[in-house]
Amino acid sequence: MAWTWRFEKADGTEVEPAVRPEEFTTQGDAESWIGETWRDLLEGGADRATLLEDGTEVYGPMPLDAES
């Protein structure tokens, strides 16, 4: 299993993240990573993120801005 993130602008346009994520072996590792990097991702132009497991959406898109 591979856990990955997809990043988008608020309008749903996919964007390249400012911080390039790896493929994670567990959901917990993927969630920990985004918890540590969400500010950098937001500042780099991503507004929201979707978690994927082997290419299938698990949840999201979730806003990276805590006020959303």
Side-chain angles (χ1 to χ4, degrees), residues 33-62:
W33 177 86
I34 205 155
E36 296 169 1
T37 60
W38 69 269
R39 288 178 187 89
D40 294 330
L41 294 164
L42 185 62
E43 289 175 6
D47 296 315
R48 57 191 194 180
T50 299
L51 182 62
L52 306 160
E53 178 186 12
D54 293 328
T56 302
E57 287 187 19
V58 176
Y59 63 78
M62 65 175 192

Side-chain angles (χ1 to χ4, degrees), residues 5 7 19-21 24 29-37 41:
W5 290 101
F7 302 96
V19 180
R20 194 78 187 142
F24 302 95
D29 287 345
E31 291 169 340
S32 292
W33 177 86
I34 205 155
E36 296 169 1
T37 60
L41 294 164

